[in-house]
Amino acid sequence: MEIGWNINIETTNGVVGLWTSWMGNGLKIFYPLEIKIPDQLIMKILDVSMAKVVKNTNFGLRLWARYYSKRLETDEGRVWIDHSGVHSYGHSMYIINDGILENHYAGHSQTNTIWTYEFNFSSQAEPDAPNNKRQHIQQYTDRFIELLIEVAKTVGEIKAVNIDSGLILYTPETLGSRYTMSKDGGTKYCYLKEEDREIMLRSGNSIIPWVTVIRYPATSETLTAKWLKEKINSFDNSENFFNPMPLVEHFVREEQLYHNWK
């Protein structure tokens, strides 16, 4: 899949999720509050170090997040990564449970979160400030997948992996007539169970009419980064149409507010 997909791993002690931005400029891992993941593990897998305060035009010095990368060689700034039990945004981690789509809320104060800094403030005047341009964040995707698996195996024994397409992947037409359909309020669901996986389609809106969740049974022994990367790369949501303009306009306004606040 190109962008916007999510991975939600079921363990015996809760759900651990990886969220990716549909714009390609953000990565987040969510895991239960009662679990503590050491800084050393995060820094080793992500190849970052504990951040120090850096030059800032407004405050003199500023600590943008908990960790940062080395200075980018082809651009200004660094990739900054934070880790906290409090996060500004909330997200949904969807899993399929007994033929029903469950929503596990993540972010805010509901989970621990490890995330790349959401905005770009790097410049010639601030060569150590956050840079979240897509080409730099995407270089961390494989490392976040590896960290996701290590965190999940720390949380508990692995039960299953749920891959959420984020954007359109399948539609009822591509599933054929093999699915069963249900409805909850204004949301429609199409469910299909095969030998090695379960598929659930959830109806969306005029921008993204259908979102797909695929559940694969797994264990702590069978779940590897290599297996997970191959699954993600085997899907293709790059050619399915959706209208991104309302979301683009929203994020442009949000970023402008942050720049004005800065």
Side-chain angles (χ1 to χ4, degrees):
M1 281 185 280
E2 290 291 308
I3 53 175
W5 47 265
N6 308 307
I7 301 170
N8 302 311
I9 302 176
E10 301 171 46
T11 80
T12 51
N13 293 314
V15 178
V16 178
L18 169 61
W19 173 91
T20 74
S21 167
W22 68 270
M23 296 178 70
N25 62 354
L27 299 164
K28 303 180 185 184
I29 290 175
F30 309 106
Y31 67 96
L33 286 170
E34 59 271 19
I35 304 297
K36 300 302 178 184
I37 301 299
D39 292 324
Q40 290 74 17
L41 177 65
I42 296 170
M43 292 188 293
K44 179 181 179 181
I45 294 177
L46 298 185
D47 191 25
V48 293
S49 58
M50 293 296 295
K52 298 179 180 179
V53 292
V54 298
K55 178 183 177 182
N56 179 259
T57 55
N58 284 345
F59 306 108
L61 295 173
R62 183 164 182 173
L63 186 66
W64 293 92
R66 190 171 182 82
Y67 320 105
Y68 60 20
S69 70
K70 297 177 182 178
R71 277 191 181 180
L72 299 171
E73 295 181 358
T74 59
D75 204 350
E76 294 161 341
R78 303 172 185 255
V79 174
W80 287 70
I81 296 170
D82 220 338
H83 180 202
S84 175
V86 179
H87 183 49
S88 299
Y89 300 92
H91 294 272
S92 294
M93 297 189 294
Y94 288 105
I95 67 169
I96 301 174
N97 183 9
D98 196 23
I100 298 174
L101 197 63
E102 286 186 354
N103 178 5
H104 293 255
Y105 193 73
H108 286 157
S109 59
Q110 301 302 304
T111 61
N112 286 305
T113 307
I114 303 168
W115 73 97
T116 57
Y117 198 87
E118 287 96 342
F119 297 97
N120 179 29
F121 291 113
S122 61
S123 66
Q124 290 184 349
E126 295 189 49
D128 293 304
N131 187 321
N132 80 326
K133 294 178 183 176
R134 175 175 177 168
Q135 64 266 31
H136 304 306
I137 298 301
Q138 287 299 297
Q139 295 181 17
Y140 284 83
T141 301
D142 285 353
R143 292 183 180 274
F144 263 76
I145 290 175
E146 293 171 9
L147 180 59
L148 169 75
I149 292 175
E150 289 301 316
V151 171
K153 291 181 178 180
T154 300
V155 171
E157 291 295 315
I158 306 300
K159 298 166 56 180
V161 175
N162 296 260
I163 298 177
D164 183 337
S165 69
L167 304 179
I168 307 166
L169 181 59
Y170 297 142
T171 65
E173 290 74 22
T174 58
L175 292 185
S177 59
R178 299 173 295 161
Y179 62 85
T180 58
M181 179 172 281
S182 60
K183 189 173 182 180
D184 183 6
T187 304
K188 296 178 181 179
Y189 299 92
C190 300
Y191 174 72
L192 172 64
K193 186 172 184 179
E194 300 177 327
E195 290 185 1
D196 63 336
R197 63 179 184 172
E198 297 173 75
I199 299 175
M200 178 73 78
L201 306 186
R202 181 182 83 254
S203 64
N205 50 44
S206 59
I207 301 174
I208 304 173
W210 293 98
V211 176
T212 305
V213 177
I214 306 174
R215 183 182 188 270
Y216 296 94
T219 67
S220 298
E221 290 71 35
T222 61
L223 179 58
T224 65
K226 181 176 183 294
W227 178 88
L228 202 44
K229 292 173 191 176
E230 288 176 351
K231 287 294 183 187
I232 292 295
N233 292 332
S234 70
F235 299 119
D236 183 9
N237 63 6
S238 62
E239 296 183 358
N240 290 300
F241 174 78
F242 75 104
N243 177 15
M245 290 312 300
L247 291 176
V248 170
E249 292 171 359
H250 167 75
F251 281 109
V252 167
R253 288 194 299 269
E254 289 289 309
E255 185 166 11
Q256 187 61 53
L257 286 174
Y258 271 81
H259 276 288
N260 291 340
W261 170 80
K262 181 193 173 189

